[in-house]
Every structure is written in C-alpha cells, then in structure tokens.
Amino acid sequence: MASLEFEPDFIQPIEHRPKLQIIEEDGIPLIDLSPLNLNFSEPNWDLVAKIGDACRKWGFFQVINHGVPAEVRERIESAAKEFFALPKEEKRKASRDQVNLFGYSDFEITKSVRDWKEIFDCTIENPTVIYASDEPDDKELKELTNKWPEYPPDLRDVCEMYSAEMQKLTYKLLGLIALSMGLPEDRLHSLFKNQTSFMRLNYYPPCPAPELALGLGRHKDAGAMTILLQDDVGGLEVKRKSDGEWIFVKPTPDAYIVNVGDLIQVWSNDKYESVEHRVTVNSQKERFSIPYFINPSHDVWIQPLEELVSEQSPAKYKGYSWGKFYATRKLSNFKKLTTENIQVHHFKL
Ligand code: OGA
Ligand code: NI
C-alpha cells in the first residue's frame, strides 16, 4: 500500500470529497460511430441527432467503432505503464518546469488542492506557438516543444502515432458537433490550424485514504473538446445536469469518452454546456487514463458563433483571446493558487 508521501494538502475540502455511494445506472450515452466508416456523401442524420442530444443533455458521451486501431491504443497504454513504473528520480529527469511546460509532474493542483496523481504531458504541434505572457497587450510569442524521457525509448514514437489517430477522430467529432448545431460540417475546422492541443498520460496510484482525496478535483475542461481513453478500473464521475448527482462512468471496452469543453459552450452560445467531472481514487488498484485535449490556435478569438446569435438570442459571452487564456492557465501551473483560476464564466455577459 502506498504511504502518505505528501503533506496532507491532498485532503479535499468537504464539499469536494467523494461520496462512497456511486450511481451506475443511467450513464452517459454510448454512441456507435460506425456509420462514419461507410463514407456516404450525406451526413448520417440519425448519428448527428444522437451527438446533439448527448451534448445537450450530458455534455459527455462514449463512442465505439471510432476507427482508432486497437494496436495503437494498446501501445500507448503499455508505454504509459512502463514510464510511470520507473523510479521517481528517473521520471523527474523529464519534469516540466517554467520554461518547458510539457513533461512529467508528480502532482497536479486543482483549486489549491493537490490531486492524487502523476502526469506526463506532451504537446501535439511541434513546436506549439503560444503567447509568452498573460499580459493582454504583450503579443510576444514563444515556441513550446516536448521533453521526452529516456525510458521507455519508444514513448515519443508511440505518442506521435497516437496523436495522428486522435487528429482523425477530432475532425470527425468536430464535424458531427458542427452539423448538430445546424452548421456546415467543416465550420470549426479552420480554428484548429496551428492548434495548441496536448495530450496527457495520467497515473492514479492506489490511495490509502480514498474517502479524503480525489485523483482529480472537480473541474471543467477549458478547451474545445476532450477525448479520453480510460482503463477498466474506472473512477471518472460526471455531474449529471438534471440533478447535480455525480455519475460514475462505467468503463466500456475499446470506447472513448468525449466531452465538450468551455469553448464549445461559448461557440454554441450555451446550447451545449461544458460539464463538471472529477476522478475518485481507490485503495487497491492503480488507474491509467489518457486525455487528449483539443485546443485551437493561440490567435483564435473566442465568442459565440455569429450564425448562432440573433436579436432573439443575443450573445451570452464577451469575446476573449484563447491564447491569453491558455497562457494564464499554463503559467499559473507553477503557482499554488489561493484564488480561483481563470474560468470561462468570467467572460459571461
Ligand atoms: C482531465 C480529466 C479524467 C480521467 O484530465 O481533465 O478529466 O479519467 N481526466 O483521468
Ligand atoms: Ni477533465
């Protein structure tokens, strides 16, 4: 059993602590993407409607028959296991820091509480261009590149292979989401040229006090959309929109969990909402998960899409710069926050 290695600042404030009882019935929708593999020239409207319903009711859904080869999933999962099994000193050689924002970290901080996890982040575009500072008028840019560990030696290749598959799935899903909002299929595509997307390998070690800690505190994803691979242990919980209950996401073999992030909430002018979720830990089993965070270019201005705004339905957000938001978040990773981190609701009109 793991020992309490951290100072007890992993102890979650009482309202965030996991409840022991979890609800398993009525989970998030499971959607079969196989119609996409048929290559019809017309969209499959039944599928589009299912995606739209899931985005509206849950902000979350699972997909099967998504086209990502099983071998690619297996390779990334085993590379992640190999990496996190290394001694801490070895993993720390690939630590992220203020200059290198990607790499390994022992813990993540959510709202000033430590999460019971280790992570390894890698960015997708090489290099990824972001703003160098969070000052609104400072237009200086900087380039971010990845920091690869020595072991396992194929981690870089495997992550690159995995992200190539994720890109294909990203555009399929963005197409379905755009269609479900009554927009052309490729309406969102151009926003992701020079994307700031990144992927994360998550390792949740067994926790001696799972009722006091969370693997990941409740949060919403700030980007456009997240595609998550989880193993068969489970721990992800989604806040059900209808009643605010935390709903356990039952692991489905070979599936991906998809959720809309804050940017789709703004673009859709609140037609779709980014939903809170969290991860509970367990005293027996370690857990691995791999989220792929889809983010636009640093120079994209985020505001409700003009096609979805009218006199009857005015914009609910003032615009904001994705790049400045991203810089503020990324640069704050190294500060222990005493106040709430920047959030999309700060831009609500
Ligand atoms: C995240 C996240 C869920 C998981 O990293 O934003 O929600 O199951 N992860 O690891
Ligand atoms: Ni998340």
Side-chain angles (χ1 to χ4, degrees):
M1 186 185 268
S3 60
L4 292 179
E5 216 169 291
F6 296 141
E7 318 225 83
D9 59 357
F10 65 87
I11 293 183
Q12 290 280 337
I14 194 121
E15 75 276 16
H16 299 175
R17 284 185 203 169
K19 270 199 308 208
L20 290 174
Q21 205 190 349
I22 49 178
I23 300 172
E24 287 198 26
E25 78 275 11
D26 275 345
I28 62 174
L30 180 66
I31 299 178
D32 183 349
L33 292 186
S34 46
L36 291 184
N37 307 331
L38 299 173
N39 262 333
F40 285 137
S41 49
E42 255 300 287
N44 182 309
W45 293 109
D46 182 40
L47 176 57
V48 170
K50 286 200 172 99
I51 297 276
D53 276 353
C55 289
R56 209 167 22 252
K57 288 197 191 123
W58 285 89
F60 263 87
F61 53 92
Q62 301 204 58
V63 293
I64 49 170
N65 297 317
H66 39 66
V68 179
E71 192 211 330
V72 174
R73 292 166 56 99
E74 282 155 19
R75 286 196 61 188
I76 189 111
E77 286 189 284
S78 63
K81 282 183 188 163
E82 258 183 85
F83 174 72
F84 289 115
L86 295 171
K88 274 235 163 111
E89 312 80 74
E90 191 60 39
K91 290 185 271 193
R92 283 187 177 148
K93 288 184 192 161
S95 281
R96 64 180 194 190
D97 53 44
Q98 232 131 347
V99 181
N100 247 305
L101 299 176
F102 297 98
Y104 171 75
S105 174
D106 283 328
F107 55 81
E108 268 281 282
I109 297 176
T110 320
K111 293 187 180 162
S112 82
V113 176
R114 284 184 186 189
D115 295 322
W116 193 265
K117 64 169 357 192
E118 295 175 34
I119 64 172
F120 179 85
D121 281 354
C122 79
T123 187
I124 306 305
E125 293 295 325
N126 188 23
T128 297
V129 177
I130 70 161
Y131 286 122
S133 92
D134 52 7
E135 289 301 322
D137 298 326
D138 182 355
K139 295 289 184 260
E140 199 196 331
L141 300 175
K142 80 175 182 189
E143 292 189 344
L144 301 176
T145 53
N146 283 317
K147 190 160 176 180
W148 298 105
E150 212 173 319
Y151 303 103
D154 64 347
L155 187 67
R156 177 181 186 156
D157 282 353
V158 175
C159 285
E160 287 173 356
M161 187 168 70
Y162 188 76
S163 80
E165 291 297 333
M166 285 296 101
Q167 308 262 45
K168 292 188 232 164
L169 183 55
T170 297
Y171 287 111
K172 291 182 196 171
L173 291 166
L174 287 174
L176 289 167
I177 288 173
L179 287 167
S180 76
M181 296 193 288
L183 302 169
E185 187 168 0
D186 62 358
R187 173 63 175 89
L188 302 172
H189 287 18
S190 63
L191 305 171
F192 295 89
K193 222 168 108 188
N194 305 318
Q195 61 186 324
T196 53
S197 303
F198 68 101
M199 60 187 272
R200 171 169 287 178
L201 311 178
N202 277 321
Y203 168 54
Y204 300 96
C207 175
E211 68 290 355
L212 295 179
L214 282 168
L216 176 56
R218 66 190 177 112
H219 68 284
K220 298 178 179 182
D221 294 348
M225 183 171 77
T226 307
I227 305 178
L228 178 89
L229 187 166
Q230 72 164 338
D231 65 13
D232 58 5
V233 174
L236 174 63
E237 293 178 9
V238 171
K239 198 166 187 176
R240 184 162 56 197
K241 281 178 76 173
S242 55
D243 58 4
E245 283 294 334
W246 289 105
I247 306 297
F248 180 76
V249 179
K250 211 171 175 174
T252 303
D254 306 323
Y256 279 104
I257 298 158
V258 181
N259 65 292
V260 303
D262 292 346
L263 302 186
I264 287 185
Q265 175 174 324
V266 176
W267 286 331
S268 75
N269 205 25
D270 282 355
K271 188 173 162 81
Y272 299 156
E273 245 178 83
S274 169
V275 163
E276 267 190 331
H277 50 287
R278 66 181 190 181
V279 176
T280 57
V281 277
N282 105 41
S283 59
Q284 309 296 324
K285 288 187 187 160
E286 56 183 15
R287 173 174 182 263
F288 295 88
S289 73
I290 306 173
Y292 183 91
F293 299 104
I294 299 149
N295 295 330
S297 165
H298 73 276
D299 61 6
V300 170
W301 188 255
I302 307 297
Q303 57 189 6
L305 297 172
E306 57 185 24
E307 301 93 313
L308 302 179
V309 173
S310 64
E311 224 164 283
Q312 294 75 36
S313 164
K316 296 185 170 151
Y317 297 87
K318 55 185 174 205
Y320 64 97
S321 154
W322 167 249
K324 286 294 166 189
F325 183 96
Y326 189 79
T328 308
R329 277 282 182 97
K330 277 281 172 207
L331 301 171
S332 76
N333 269 337
F334 298 91
K335 298 179 197 138
K336 196 162 155 84
L337 297 176
T338 48
T339 53
E340 186 187 36
N341 208 337
I342 185 170
Q343 301 288 341
V344 67
H345 66 75
H346 298 146
F347 300 100
K348 195 114 195 182
L349 283 169

